[in-house]
Amino acid sequence: MTENDGDWWFCLKHMKVEHGPGCPNKDRMGPYDDQDAAAHALEKARERNRQWERNG
């Protein structure tokens, strides 16, 4: 597996980025294409929630 496999996750249990196998998917957000996208998963979710609340 290479770093460009698109198998990046953000673990909600440990609050950190994971690559490849890691915690169960029920505890993770993703997969993401790269490490940076996974690192910003919570920020992106907050942004989408704010947009939904404004437009909902």
Side-chain angles (χ1 to χ4, degrees):
M1 179 179 305
T2 67
E3 289 189 11
N4 295 324
D5 284 344
D7 198 13
W8 290 92
W9 304 80
F10 185 81
C11 177
L12 297 166
K13 184 175 180 181
H14 298 107
M15 301 304 286
K16 67 176 188 169
V17 172
E18 296 180 343
H19 187 246
C23 290
N25 287 350
K26 69 180 182 70
D27 295 327
R28 306 193 295 180
M29 295 174 70
Y32 296 95
D33 290 334
D34 56 47
Q35 184 177 8
D36 188 58
H40 292 93
L42 291 180
E43 179 181 322
K44 187 69 169 178
R46 281 189 214 100
E47 177 183 316
R48 289 179 177 165
N49 286 341
R50 284 192 297 268
Q51 289 176 354
W52 181 82
E53 288 170 356
R54 283 193 300 265
N55 299 323

